[in-house]
């Protein structure tokens, strides 16, 4: 399938499709040409967008995602699948009808809940993660792109009611992924309102936090060796020393060097490369990644929200036993990404802390 065919297929998948089984009259009266001689135009796309989803499709969607007993009303499910951009389109075509309920407030509440659950999970699992990487990891777990992908996996695309808008000086435009990402957030808020905070956290862990996110690619160092020197000094360890562990083909066209970095008798990291500098660069980077990506064993991870009672209702009024909680130690997670602050540039004539140190045993 070529690019044009793929683009056509992806565009067609976003168009509204209407099942005529639940409609009272089909074709609609406005689609039938009258006997007048005036030009008649019927916007099929707008008409299809305005039609509500079949009740059977809404019920099947709730059971498919495991919320059949939580979302018992089809009106609630339809509200979760109705984006706020749909209201102007509905008001333009049906000015006298009551406005449909949208998921604007539910999306805001669900976004805050997902941010809370993802932040405490990442912080408890990776206590030494730098702050910038922590924010990036939270976005990777519960960000807009992830929410839109989860909505597609849930099968919520045919149920979405929205309308594309362009950018304005006051607010950004609404695209299909933006509207689609509101559905998982609204569902999280509905679980929180109808059940409890613990139920909403279980829903978030099932659909969001159970996924594997590559945190290693999120950490980048301009000067790993200098950052490692500062990190080791911060933790009060001995000064790191680079040692050549193995080599092959030194005088050939494709040499390979393996370098290890040690702090005292302990080995911090290891790297390889076609040159000594490349191997040392990777070894320092590996040492930093081993520290900042240190993961708490899953059976020892305890989240603050797990202490709330497992009852339905407000967390301040619900009755029930509370779980014991022992807060984990907060790591000193900040690290300088450059050798001299934000820019990573050194002043002329200034020598970095590790410039005078060469590889040992070479």
């Amino acid at each position: 399938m070529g690019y044009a065919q793929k683009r056509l297929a992806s565009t067609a998948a976003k168009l509204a499709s209407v099942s005529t089984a639940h409609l009272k009259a089909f074709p609609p009266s406005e689609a039938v040409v009258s006997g007048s001689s005036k030009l008649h135009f019927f916007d099929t796309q707008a008409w299809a967008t305005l039609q509500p989803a079949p009740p059977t499709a809404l019920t099947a969607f709730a059971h498919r995602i495991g919320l059949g007993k939580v979302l018992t009303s089809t009106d609630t499910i339809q509200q979760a699948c109705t984006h706020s951009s749909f209201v102007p389109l509905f008001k333009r075509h049906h000015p006298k009808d009551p406005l449909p309920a949208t998921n604007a407030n539910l999306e805001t509440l669900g976004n805050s809940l997902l941010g809370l659950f993802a932040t405490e999970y990442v912080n408890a699992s990776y206590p030494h993660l730098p702050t910038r990487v922590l924010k990036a990891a939270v976005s990777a777990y519960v960000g807009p792109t992830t929410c839109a992908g989860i909505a597609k996996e849930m099968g919520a695309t045919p149920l979405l009611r929205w309308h594309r808008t362009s950018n304005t000086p006051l607010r950004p435009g609404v695209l299909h992924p933006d509207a689609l990402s509101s559905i998982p957030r609204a569902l999280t808020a509905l679980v929180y309102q109808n059940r409890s905070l613990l139920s909403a956290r279980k829903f978030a862990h099932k659909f969001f936090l159970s996924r594997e996110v590559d945190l290693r690619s999120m950490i980048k160092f301009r000067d790993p060796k200098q950052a490692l020197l500062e990190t080791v000094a911060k933790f009060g360890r001995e000064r790191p020393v680079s040692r050549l562990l193995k080599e092959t083909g030194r005088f050939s066209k494709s040499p390979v060097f393996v370098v290890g970095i040690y702090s005292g008798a302990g080995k911090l990291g290891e790297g390889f490369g076609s040159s000594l500098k490349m191997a040392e660069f990777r070894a320092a980077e590996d040492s930093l990644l081993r520290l900042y990506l240190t993961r708490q064993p899953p059976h020892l991870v305890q989240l603050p929200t797990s202490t709330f009672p497992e009852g339905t209702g407000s967390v301040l009024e619900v009755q029930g036993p509370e779980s014991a909680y022992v807060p984990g130690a907060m790591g000193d997670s900040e690290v300088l990404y450059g050798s001299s602050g934000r820019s990573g540039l050194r002043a002329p004539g200034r020598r970095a802390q590790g410039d005078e140190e060469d590889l040992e045993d070479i």
Side-chain angles (χ1 to χ4, degrees):
M1 183 183 295
Y3 173 77
Q5 290 81 0
K6 290 182 180 179
R7 187 65 181 269
L8 179 61
S10 62
T11 304
K14 300 176 183 178
L15 298 178
S17 58
V18 179
S19 172
T20 60
H22 70 291
L23 299 179
K24 297 181 179 179
F26 186 83
S29 57
E30 57 267 24
V32 180
V33 180
S34 60
S36 61
S37 58
K38 296 182 179 180
L39 181 63
H40 180 78
F41 175 75
F42 175 65
D43 190 353
T44 57
Q45 177 60 29
W47 177 85
T49 305
L50 292 170
Q51 302 308 309
T56 53
L58 297 174
T59 304
F61 170 72
H63 284 275
R64 183 167 60 248
I65 61 177
L67 299 180
K69 296 182 180 180
V70 178
L71 307 178
T72 57
S73 174
T74 56
D75 295 336
T76 304
I77 307 173
Q78 187 172 358
Q79 178 184 0
C81 299
T82 304
H83 193 259
S84 58
S85 61
F86 178 75
V87 174
L89 177 66
F90 185 89
K91 187 186 300 185
R92 185 166 63 249
H93 289 81
H94 303 285
K96 298 182 180 180
D97 295 344
L99 298 179
T102 66
N103 61 8
N105 293 334
L106 294 174
E107 179 187 7
T108 303
L109 175 60
N111 185 47
S112 300
L113 289 172
L114 289 175
L116 167 65
F117 300 145
T119 302
E120 68 170 3
Y121 172 76
V122 176
N123 184 62
S125 300
Y126 302 93
H128 298 287
L129 207 62
T131 304
R132 294 181 181 179
V133 185
L134 175 65
K135 295 179 180 179
V138 171
S139 299
Y141 274 111
V142 296
T145 304
T146 304
C147 289
I150 291 177
K152 292 180 181 179
E153 296 176 5
M154 290 178 173
T157 304
L159 307 179
L160 175 64
R161 306 176 76 188
W162 74 291
H163 182 62
R164 186 188 303 272
T165 60
S166 57
N167 292 323
T168 64
L170 299 179
R171 61 180 60 184
V174 178
L175 302 178
H176 186 261
D178 303 327
L180 197 61
S181 63
S182 67
I183 296 181
R185 296 169 178 168
L187 293 175
T188 305
L190 287 174
V191 175
Y192 168 74
Q193 288 184 337
N194 296 335
R195 292 297 180 180
S196 63
L197 183 68
L198 289 183
S199 300
R201 185 167 63 87
K202 291 179 181 178
F203 177 81
H205 277 261
K206 178 180 179 181
F207 285 95
F208 292 89
L209 304 180
S210 60
R211 299 166 178 262
E212 291 293 334
V213 174
D214 184 17
L215 301 181
R216 191 181 184 93
S217 60
M218 299 181 183
I219 306 181
K220 299 297 181 181
F221 303 97
R222 295 193 186 99
D223 191 344
K225 184 178 179 181
Q226 183 66 26
L228 181 61
L229 287 171
E230 296 171 354
T231 303
V232 170
K234 179 176 62 177
F235 285 96
R237 299 284 299 273
E238 296 184 24
R239 185 184 182 87
V241 177
S242 303
R243 298 173 182 171
L244 180 62
L245 302 181
K246 297 179 182 179
E247 67 169 298
T248 180
R250 178 186 284 260
F251 301 105
S252 66
K253 294 183 179 180
S254 55
V256 177
F257 301 93
V258 179
V259 173
I261 296 183
Y262 293 80
S263 175
K267 183 179 178 181
L268 301 180
E270 182 179 308
F272 70 96
S274 57
S275 65
L276 293 175
K277 289 186 177 181
M278 180 186 295
E280 187 182 22
F281 182 95
R282 292 178 175 175
E285 193 174 41
D286 181 63
S287 303
L288 292 169
L289 292 176
R290 288 174 182 267
L291 168 64
Y292 293 111
L293 294 183
T294 299
R295 184 167 186 174
Q296 190 81 351
H299 66 281
L300 297 179
V301 174
Q302 193 175 13
L303 305 177
T305 55
S306 62
T307 60
F308 293 108
E310 297 184 359
T312 303
S314 173
V315 294
L316 302 177
E317 300 176 358
V318 66
Q319 301 295 327
E322 298 183 1
S323 303
Y325 175 68
V326 178
M330 295 291 293
D332 188 7
S333 59
E334 294 307 315
V335 61
L336 293 179
Y337 283 71
S339 58
S340 61
R342 296 180 180 178
S343 64
L345 301 178
R346 298 173 184 167
R350 179 181 176 183
R351 173 176 292 183
Q353 185 176 359
D355 283 355
E356 70 281 358
E357 182 181 39
D358 294 329
L359 286 174
E360 194 175 276
D361 299 336
I362 295 181

